[in-house]
Amino acid sequence: MNYTFEILGVSPTLTFFNQQQELLQQQQPSGVEYLGNWKCTLDAFVASVETVSPARGWDVDRVVDTVISFWMNNSDSIQYWKHRLHDAGSENLLVARVGDIKSLQAAFESLLGE
């Protein structure tokens, strides 16, 4: 299985929490997980995916490798989001998405009505 990881943006903590609750109430689980962290660091996101991956049945090592690869290849984006998180203040989280590529593709296709 192939995985993807990307940083989506900055969100108020309460908004992120409410969105997570809505996702938990959906009838069918998806192969996509949204992660929120107060710090924009590789360690913080690796710790998050190490927690989420076993519960989803994902290959933890491959998911961690995906996050590390993103971190190594997107330094400009990471710096941008680090600054946006700092500017937003301590009541906000940096939100990222991790998932298996097929599930993410299915989610996008359902949005487009295909």
Side-chain angles (χ1 to χ4, degrees), residues 23-67:
L23 290 173
L24 286 173
Q25 293 174 5
Q26 288 181 350
Q27 295 297 327
Q28 52 188 1
S30 71
V32 178
E33 186 72 36
Y34 295 90
L35 310 169
N37 278 302
W38 282 288
K39 293 190 274 183
C40 182
T41 64
L42 175 59
D43 291 345
F45 282 107
V46 166
S48 293
V49 299
E50 286 177 336
T51 302
V52 169
S53 296
R56 291 215 169 254
W58 291 343
D59 180 340
V60 177
D61 291 335
R62 290 189 70 186
V63 177
V64 168
D65 287 346
T66 300
V67 174

